[in-house]
Amino acid sequence: MMASSGLQIVGFLLSLVGVSATIAATFMVEWGKESQAKHRTYDGLWMSCSGTSERATCENYKYLLKLPIEVQVTRALILVSLFLSAVALIVSILGMKCTRFMDAMPQSKVKAAVCGGGLFILAGVLTIIVTSWYVSRMVEVNEKAHRLQNREFGHAVFVSWAGGFFTVLGGVILSLRRCWGFSGSSESISTNQLLSTAKSNYV
């Protein structure tokens, strides 16, 4: 029981680290970067910065529909992923064995835990997919760009990938431990029923 609860906490913390990394990546400005001579431009999901290595100015995006399609889609799906992660955090807390929520309904508690782990997996996979698609778009743009321009993806992409990976890993651990805990509880119930039946027959 203690080992199962400990692994649940580990899975929850891994997912929490993943969600935190995804949030950080969302607000990072280095999703895409373009260099031309000494001038550099960094494109994020919410703002862009341009200038030299010594001085740069940043500006928030004002018109959503004028943004590149990869920025619009990535920003939208990342927000969906974060919404799923928020729901997963709440549901997982309700279903974890170390909490007192839903103790009177053990089967519902297990189902809530499995649901929370599944939502973490879904959110992490969505983050990984949309980040990979963004990278593929950057590669296509770079191939079509002028030879003096060098457009590539930045550090935020790696942070987003890491966030998705840890979110999925934590969700898997949470789901597996919930399933095993459910099986164990079912087996213990069946054993108790057999013992009770044997005692009644003996009497």
Side-chain angles (χ1 to χ4, degrees):
M1 181 67 70
M2 291 296 294
S4 176
S5 179
L7 283 176
Q8 287 177 0
I9 295 175
V10 170
F12 181 82
L13 291 178
L14 285 174
S15 295
L16 190 61
V17 169
V19 174
S20 301
T22 303
I23 295 174
T26 303
F27 292 99
M28 290 178 67
V29 74
E30 292 188 21
W31 276 81
K33 56 183 179 180
E34 180 179 344
S35 58
Q36 187 175 9
K38 294 183 178 181
H39 188 271
R40 297 179 180 179
T41 302
Y42 297 96
D43 297 321
L45 301 181
W46 304 95
M47 68 175 64
S48 64
C49 298
S50 60
T52 63
S53 58
E54 299 177 355
R55 183 178 181 182
T57 57
C58 298
E59 183 179 0
N60 293 322
Y61 297 136
K62 296 181 180 179
Y63 304 103
L64 176 62
L65 297 179
K66 292 184 178 181
L67 296 175
I69 186 64
E70 60 268 16
V71 175
Q72 297 184 40
V73 174
T74 302
R75 183 162 71 173
L77 293 183
I78 287 289
L79 290 177
V80 172
S81 174
L82 291 175
F83 173 77
L84 292 174
S85 297
V87 176
L89 285 171
I90 297 173
V91 175
S92 296
I93 291 175
L94 294 177
M96 291 179 67
K97 295 180 180 179
C98 60
T99 63
R100 296 298 181 184
F101 301 106
M102 302 175 65
D103 281 346
M105 300 176 291
Q107 292 187 357
S108 298
K109 187 178 181 73
V110 171
K111 292 178 181 179
V114 173
C115 182
L119 287 174
F120 273 131
I121 295 173
L122 181 60
V125 169
L126 183 59
T127 299
I128 293 172
I129 290 176
V130 72
T131 304
S132 301
W133 177 78
Y134 181 91
V135 170
S136 67
R137 290 283 300 181
M138 288 293 97
V139 173
E140 292 178 5
V141 171
N142 189 45
E143 291 177 351
K144 298 177 182 179
H146 192 272
R147 64 183 182 86
L148 295 179
Q149 294 178 331
N150 183 20
R151 185 170 179 81
E152 55 188 9
F153 52 88
H155 300 304
V157 168
F158 299 102
V159 177
S160 182
W161 268 332
F165 172 76
F166 281 112
T167 304
V168 170
L169 181 60
V172 169
I173 294 175
L174 284 169
S175 299
L176 289 178
R177 295 310 303 179
R178 299 304 197 275
C179 292
W180 295 341
F182 179 74
S183 299
S185 62
S186 299
E187 291 175 359
S188 61
I189 293 173
S190 300
T191 303
N192 291 333
Q193 289 177 347
L194 289 173
L195 291 174
S196 300
T197 304
K199 289 180 179 180
S200 61
N201 291 336
Y202 178 77
V203 173

